[in-house]
C-alpha cells in the first residue's frame, strides 16, 4: 500500500537495531533505493500547473530517449533484445501513475520531481513486499525508468527551495542501504550519523560506523518512505530509535542522556594505564581493531595494548587505485611506530564478500561470501600480494609488527601464503633492505574447516585470531548481513562455542596464543565466557575497549572457567548466553546499558 510521509511537525518514533553508539540531532538527508531522492520543497498554488508541465516535459524527453535507444538496440541486437524498452515505455506512460503524480502535485503542493519520486517509491515498495523474484526485477525496471525521468527534469528551481537541502551542511543520512564503500566515502565532517532499512550488526557497514565513531541504526522498516529530507531527527545509536521532529522536552531528555553517557565514558579514561587482568591476576591482552591509520590516536587514548586487527581492505580499496609498496610501507610503519612497544597485526587484504572486490569482476558472483574473497584473492594476484607483504616486512623495523591471513580454509593456503612471504624476505635480503626476520605470522580462524584443523595450522603459525563475524556465518550457514535470518546469527550457538574451544586448545597444546577480533569480543555480556574459554587476547573497537577492560578487571578467572565448563555442556544458544550474561550482570551491571 502507498505509504504517506509523516507531516512536518508530528513527533514520531521509528525503531531499528542500534549498531554504533552515540546520540546526534540534525536534519535528514534521504538516499532512496536505486534512485537518488530529489530535494523536496513546497510550491505556491499558482505554481501547480507549471509543475505539472515540468513533469509532462520530463516524460516527453524520456520517451524520445527510450525510443532512440530501442531503435539502436533493435539494429544491433534484434527485435527481441529491444523489447525491454517497449516495457520501459509502457512504464513511462502508465496512465494511473500519471494521474497519481498530477493529483499529488495538486494536493501536496510539492515540487513535481519529488511527488513523482514518492509515487514511484510506493509502487516499487509494494512490488518488493510481494517477495516475488520476477516482480522484483520489474521494480528495478521501474526505478530505471524513473531515474531517467528524474534526470530529465529541468533544473531551474523557484526560489522557495529550502536552502538546507544542501548536504554540505551537517546532516544524518537515512537510506535504504549503504555499502561499505558508501560509508568509507561519507563526508565525515558533515555526516553525523546514519539510519538504514537494510543491514545488520555484523555487516561491514556497521563495523565501519563503529570504527569511524558514527552513530548508526539499521533495520528500520520503510525508513526511506517515512522520513523526508530536512526533517529534524534525533538518532539514538544506543537504543536504536529515530525520533522525527522531537518536541523540546524530548530534546532536553536526550541532551541529559548524552551528558550522562559522556560522564560515564570519561570515568573510564582513568583505566587507561591499568593492566587488563582479572581479580585473580589472569592477564588478557586487550587490543584494538582499526580500519584506518588515522585511528591511531584513538587507539592510544583508549589504552589499547596494541592492534589486534588492521583491516587493510578499506585503506587499499577505498580510494581508486591500490597504493603501491612504498605508500603502503609508510602507512604500516606509522602503525608499527604508533603502538610500539605493543604488537600491531596487519591483516592482508580481505577483498570480496560484502566488501569491495579487489578488481571489477566480469560478472556478479552468485554467492560472494563463498566466493573470491580473502586469502584466495591474494594467492591468485601474487604481484599485489607481494606488494603488501614487502611493505609489511619493510615497516617491521619500526616497531613490533605481525601479519595475519584472512579466510584461511586449510593448511595448503597457509603454506602457500608463507611461501610468498619467504619469497619476499629473500628478495629484500638481496636488495639489502632491512626487516624483522622474526615477523610474527598468524591466521584468522573464521571458517569451520580451519577451526577443525587448528592443530595442524598451529604448527605453522605464531598465533590465531578468531574472526567470529565470519565463523558464525559459515558454521550456522547464516548470511551475516541478511536481516531475514538474523535470529539464527547467535555467537553463543553451541557449535560455535565448541569451535572456539577447539581452536584455543589446539593453540595452547602447540605453544601459541589465540586472540579474538570478531564483534563477539566486544559484547560485554560474553566477556566472562571468553575469559573462561581461555582466549588470550581480545581485539575490539576503540569505543568499546575501556568498558571491556573494566569488565575483565571485575571478573574472577576461576569463576569464568567454571561457568564456561558448564556452557560447553549446554545444548542451546540461550543457555550459554544466560550463563555468561548472569556472571556479567553480577560483576559489572553498571557497564551494561
Ligand atoms: C571476522 O570475520 O570476525 C573478522 C574480524 O573479519 P571481517 O569482519 O573483516 O570479515
Ligand atoms: Mg572475517
Amino acid at each position: 500500500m502507498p505509504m504517506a510521509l509523516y507531516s512536518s511537525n508530528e513527533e514520531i518514533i521509528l525503531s531499528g537495531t542500534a549498531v554504533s553508539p552515540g546520540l546526534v540531532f540534525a536534519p535528514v538527508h534521504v538516499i532512496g533505493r536505486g534512485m537518488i531522492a530529489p530535494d523536496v520543497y513546497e510550491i505556491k498554488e499558482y505554481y501547480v500547473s507549471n509543475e505539472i508541465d515540468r513533469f509532462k516535459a520530463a516524460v516527453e524527453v524520456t520517451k524520445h530517449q527510450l525510443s532512440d535507444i530501442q531503435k539502436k538496440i533493435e539494429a544491433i541486437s534484434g527485435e527481441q533484445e529491444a523489447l525491454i524498452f517497449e516495457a520501459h515505455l509502457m512504464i513511462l506512460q502508465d496512465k494511473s501513475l500519471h494521474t497519481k503524480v498530477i493529483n499529488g502535485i495538486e494536493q501536496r503542493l510539492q515540487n513535481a520531481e519529488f511527488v513523482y519520486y514518492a509515487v514511484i517509491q510506493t509502487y516499487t515498495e509494494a512490488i518488493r513486499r510481494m517477495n516475488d523474484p520476477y516482480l522484483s526485477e520489474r521494480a528495478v525496471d521501474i526505478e530505471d525508468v524513473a531515474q531517467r525521468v528524474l534526470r530529465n527534469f529541468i533544473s531551474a528551481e523557484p526560489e522557495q527551495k529550502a536552502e538546507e537541502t544542501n548536504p554540505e551542511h551537517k546532516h544524518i543520512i537515512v537510506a535504504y542501504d549503504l555499502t561499505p564503500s558508501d560509508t568509507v566515502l561519507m563526508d565525515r565532517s558533515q555526516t553525523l550519523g546514519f539510519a538504514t532499512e537494510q543491514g545488520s550488526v555484523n555487516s561491514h557497514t556497521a563495523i565501519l560506523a563503529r570504527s569511524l565513531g558514527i552513530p548508526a541504526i539499521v533495520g528500520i522498516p520503510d525508513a526511506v518512505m517515512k522520513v523526508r529530507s530536512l526533517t529534524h531527527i534525533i538518532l539514538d545509536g544506543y537504543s536504536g530509535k529515530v525520533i522525527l521532529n522531537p518536541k523540546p522536552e524530548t530534546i532536553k531528555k536526550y541532551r541529559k542522556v548524552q551528558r550522562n553517557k559522556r560522564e560515564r565514558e570519561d570515568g573510564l579514561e582513568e583505566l587507561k594505564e591499568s593492566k587488563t587482568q582479572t581479580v585473580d591476576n589472569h592477564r588478557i591482552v586487550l587490543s584494538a581493531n582499526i580500519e584506518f591509520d588515522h585511528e591511531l590516536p584513538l587507539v592510544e587514548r583508549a589504552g589499547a595494548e596494541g592492534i589486534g586487527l588492521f583491516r587493510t581492505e578499506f585503506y587499499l580499496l577505498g580510494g581508486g587505485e591500490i597504493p603501491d609498496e612504498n605508500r603502503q610501507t609508510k602507512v604500516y610503519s606509522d602503525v608499527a611506530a604508533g603502538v610500539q612497544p605493543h604488537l600491531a597485526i596487519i591483516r592482508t587484504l580481505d577483498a570480496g564478500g560484502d566488501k569491495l572486490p579487489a578488481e571489477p569482476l566480469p560478472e556478479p558472483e552468485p554467492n560472494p561470501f563463498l566466493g573470491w574473497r580473502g586469502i584466495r584473492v591474494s594467492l591468485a594476484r601474487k604481484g599485489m600480494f607481494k606488494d603488501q607483504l614487502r611493505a609489511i616486512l619493510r615497516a617491521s623495523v619500526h616497531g613490533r609488527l605481525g601479519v595475519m591471513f584472512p579466510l584461511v580454509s586449510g593448511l595448503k593456503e597457509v603454506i602457500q601464503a608463507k611461501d610468498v612471504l619467504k619469497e619476499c624476505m629473500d628478495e629484500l635480503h638481496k636488495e639489502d633492505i632491512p626487516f624483522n626476520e622474526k615477523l610474527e605470522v598468524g591466521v584468522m580462524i573464521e571458517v569451520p574447516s580451519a577451526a577443525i584443523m587448528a592443530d595442524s595450522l598451529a604448527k605453522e603459525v605464531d598465533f590465531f585470531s578468531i574472526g567470529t563475524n565470519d565463523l558464525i556465518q559459515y558454521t550456522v550457514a547464516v548470511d551475516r548481513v541478511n536481516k531475514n535470518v538474523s535470529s539464527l546469527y547467535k555467537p553463543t550457538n553451541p557449535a560455535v562455542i565448541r569451535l572456539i574451544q577447539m581452536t584455543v586448545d589446539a593453540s595452547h597444546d602447540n605453544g601459541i596464543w589465540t586472540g579474538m577480533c570478531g564483534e563477539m569480543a566486544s559484547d560485554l555480556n560474553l566477556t566472562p565466557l571468553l575469559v573462561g574459554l581461555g582466549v588470550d587476547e581480545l581485539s575490539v573497537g576503540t569505543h568499546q575497549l575501556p568498558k571491556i577492560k573494566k569488565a575483565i578487571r571485575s571478573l574472577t578467572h576461576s569463576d569464568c572457567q567454571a561457568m564456561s565448563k558448564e556452557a560447553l555442556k549446554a545444548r542451546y544458544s540461550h543457555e550459554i548466553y544466560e550463563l555468561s550474561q548472569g556472571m556479567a550482570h553480577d560483576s559489572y551491571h553498571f557497564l551494561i546499558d
Side-chain angles (χ1 to χ4, degrees):
M1 268 330 287
M3 192 170 318
L5 292 162
Y6 287 113
S7 74
S8 57
N9 38 28
E10 206 181 338
E11 180 176 291
I12 304 281
I13 300 178
L14 306 177
S15 295
T17 306
V19 295
S20 181
L23 275 173
V24 277
F25 177 45
V28 162
H29 178 63
V30 176
I31 303 176
R33 167 166 36 194
M35 290 192 293
I36 317 272
D39 294 335
V40 56
Y41 53 90
E42 283 176 17
I43 53 163
K44 296 266 188 291
E45 251 178 68
Y46 58 77
Y47 252 104
V48 164
S49 63
N50 184 52
E51 288 302 295
I52 294 172
D53 287 347
R54 286 177 63 238
F55 166 61
K56 288 183 177 162
V59 170
E60 202 51 32
V61 174
T62 311
K63 193 170 121 189
H64 289 300
Q65 287 172 345
L66 287 175
S67 303
D68 281 348
I69 301 172
Q70 190 184 19
K71 279 185 205 125
K72 279 188 197 135
I73 300 281
E74 205 170 338
I76 300 164
S77 312
E79 209 176 307
Q80 195 60 29
E81 269 64 33
L83 274 181
I84 178 73
F85 290 95
E86 196 58 49
H88 280 200
L89 278 163
M90 280 166 72
I91 294 167
L92 176 74
Q93 295 170 100
D94 184 284
K95 282 219 164 54
S96 75
L97 190 144
H98 283 216
T99 310
K100 281 202 173 78
V101 175
I102 290 167
N103 290 346
I105 296 170
E106 288 167 349
Q107 286 157 17
R108 293 178 180 199
L109 294 178
Q110 286 172 330
N111 54 317
E113 53 273 69
F114 183 77
V115 174
Y116 177 68
Y117 168 80
V119 170
I120 291 288
Q121 288 277 48
T122 58
Y123 270 62
T124 52
E125 286 301 319
I127 291 177
R128 284 201 167 100
R129 235 169 267 135
M130 289 177 200
N131 259 339
D132 175 320
Y134 173 77
L135 289 176
S136 288
E137 286 299 314
R138 301 291 70 77
V140 174
D141 287 338
I142 295 175
E143 280 173 351
D144 217 342
V145 173
Q147 189 63 66
R148 194 173 279 279
V149 174
L150 287 174
R151 276 202 298 268
N152 286 327
F153 270 96
I154 296 143
S155 57
E157 308 289 21
E159 62 282 57
Q160 293 100 319
K161 186 176 174 193
E163 272 171 28
E164 307 89 296
T165 48
N166 185 351
E168 289 294 306
H169 293 136
K170 292 207 185 314
H171 58 273
I172 296 169
I173 289 180
V174 172
Y176 174 72
D177 199 7
L178 293 170
T179 63
S181 53
D182 292 334
T183 316
V184 174
L185 296 175
M186 252 174 208
D187 177 355
R188 263 163 276 143
S189 64
Q190 306 299 342
T191 309
L192 301 185
F194 68 78
T196 61
E197 291 186 20
Q198 296 295 303
S200 70
V201 181
N202 299 293
S203 64
H204 286 99
T205 302
I207 292 171
L208 279 169
R210 290 193 283 275
S211 63
L212 296 170
I214 301 176
I217 300 174
V218 300
I220 304 179
D222 304 314
V224 168
M225 286 304 300
K226 289 175 177 166
V227 185
R228 66 187 200 193
S229 285
L230 295 187
T231 308
H232 277 74
I233 65 168
I234 291 174
L235 185 144
D236 178 354
Y238 296 102
S239 70
K241 289 199 168 60
V242 165
I243 298 125
L244 279 74
N245 305 309
K247 295 186 198 128
E249 56 268 33
T250 312
I251 297 174
K252 210 166 140 197
K253 183 183 118 192
Y254 271 92
R255 291 243 152 91
K256 198 164 163 218
V257 174
Q258 200 169 31
R259 262 197 312 277
N260 289 345
K261 296 269 182 205
R262 275 204 196 123
E263 275 162 23
R264 235 206 273 178
E265 270 149 33
D266 288 348
L268 289 170
E269 279 211 356
E270 293 162 14
L271 285 178
K272 197 176 147 214
E273 303 300 336
S274 38
K275 282 192 183 148
T276 310
Q277 62 186 26
T278 59
V279 175
D280 48 348
N281 296 329
H282 177 79
R283 282 277 283 137
I284 303 275
V285 175
L286 184 56
S287 38
N289 289 352
I290 63 165
E291 275 77 32
F292 306 97
D293 57 333
H294 61 65
E295 290 174 75
L296 283 172
L298 294 177
V299 173
E300 208 270 322
R301 208 178 314 147
E305 297 162 283
I307 290 172
L309 169 66
F310 177 11
R311 288 183 167 95
T312 55
E313 48 277 6
F314 300 104
Y315 156 59
L316 294 178
L317 305 175
E321 244 175 51
I322 298 183
D324 64 14
E325 180 186 317
N326 286 339
R327 278 162 59 209
Q328 289 189 51
T329 305
K330 166 88 179 74
V331 169
Y332 305 149
S333 301
D334 288 349
V335 171
V339 300
Q340 69 162 327
H342 302 300
L343 174 67
I345 300 173
I346 316 279
R347 180 174 75 181
T348 59
L349 179 71
D350 184 16
D354 72 330
K355 293 181 245 192
L356 295 168
E359 58 194 65
L361 299 173
E363 52 195 53
E365 290 191 285
N367 295 301
F369 278 118
L370 301 182
W372 208 50
R373 65 168 294 206
I375 194 68
R376 301 166 189 185
V377 176
S378 293
L379 290 173
R381 294 288 177 267
K382 201 167 156 193
M384 182 180 78
F385 192 30
K386 280 177 71 177
D387 281 351
Q388 185 168 31
L389 292 177
R390 282 175 56 102
I392 294 170
L393 285 165
R394 285 171 59 189
S396 67
V397 293
H398 296 284
R400 198 180 144 208
L401 274 194
V403 65
M404 169 160 86
F405 304 120
L407 208 84
V408 159
S409 62
L411 191 55
K412 197 167 164 198
E413 286 159 342
V414 181
I415 305 284
Q416 285 174 332
K418 279 178 62 184
D419 283 348
V420 183
L421 183 66
K422 172 81 174 47
E423 204 176 305
C424 295
M425 288 181 167
D426 292 344
E427 282 175 12
L428 292 175
H429 266 306
K430 280 199 196 114
E431 294 163 33
D432 258 341
I433 299 177
F435 63 92
N436 175 11
E437 307 264 356
K438 300 221 167 353
L439 180 85
E440 286 160 72
V441 179
V443 287
M444 290 203 61
I445 302 292
E446 48 185 353
V447 180
S449 57
I452 294 165
M453 294 302 290
D455 57 340
S456 298
L457 303 187
K459 298 186 172 60
E460 294 297 329
V461 293
D462 302 305
F463 65 89
F464 288 151
S465 186
I466 305 177
T468 47
N469 306 338
D470 279 314
L471 186 63
I472 300 163
Q473 127 163 304
Y474 295 123
T475 305
V476 193
V478 54
D479 181 345
R480 67 193 257 186
V481 297
N482 182 340
K483 72 177 164 56
N484 298 329
V485 287
S486 62
S487 62
L488 287 171
Y489 192 97
K490 296 262 189 300
T492 52
N493 182 301
V496 174
I497 300 306
R498 288 187 192 191
L499 289 176
I500 294 173
Q501 181 68 77
M502 280 171 69
T503 306
V504 171
D505 287 351
S507 71
H508 293 172
D509 289 349
N510 286 280
I512 66 168
W513 57 270
T514 292
M516 178 179 285
C517 59
E519 293 300 297
M520 184 178 182
S522 305
D523 188 336
L524 283 163
N525 286 306
L526 300 180
T527 313
L529 179 67
L530 300 179
V531 170
L533 288 172
V535 176
D536 304 288
E537 178 239 24
L538 296 175
S539 191
V540 303
T542 48
H543 69 279
Q544 190 71 348
L545 199 141
K547 287 189 194 165
I548 300 283
K549 189 183 270 192
K550 179 87 182 156
I552 293 172
R553 288 174 60 82
S554 315
L555 289 167
T556 305
H557 182 230
S558 53
D559 291 348
C560 294
Q561 278 182 313
M563 181 272 293
S564 305
K565 244 185 177 163
E566 282 309 300
L568 280 164
K569 289 186 215 149
R571 294 183 304 155
Y572 295 105
S573 312
H574 72 91
E575 292 171 354
I576 302 180
Y577 188 81
E578 281 157 18
L579 278 169
S580 186
Q581 188 194 37
M583 187 171 278
H585 270 260
D586 290 348
S587 312
Y588 46 82
H589 65 90
F590 53 92
L591 283 176
I592 303 172
D593 295 313

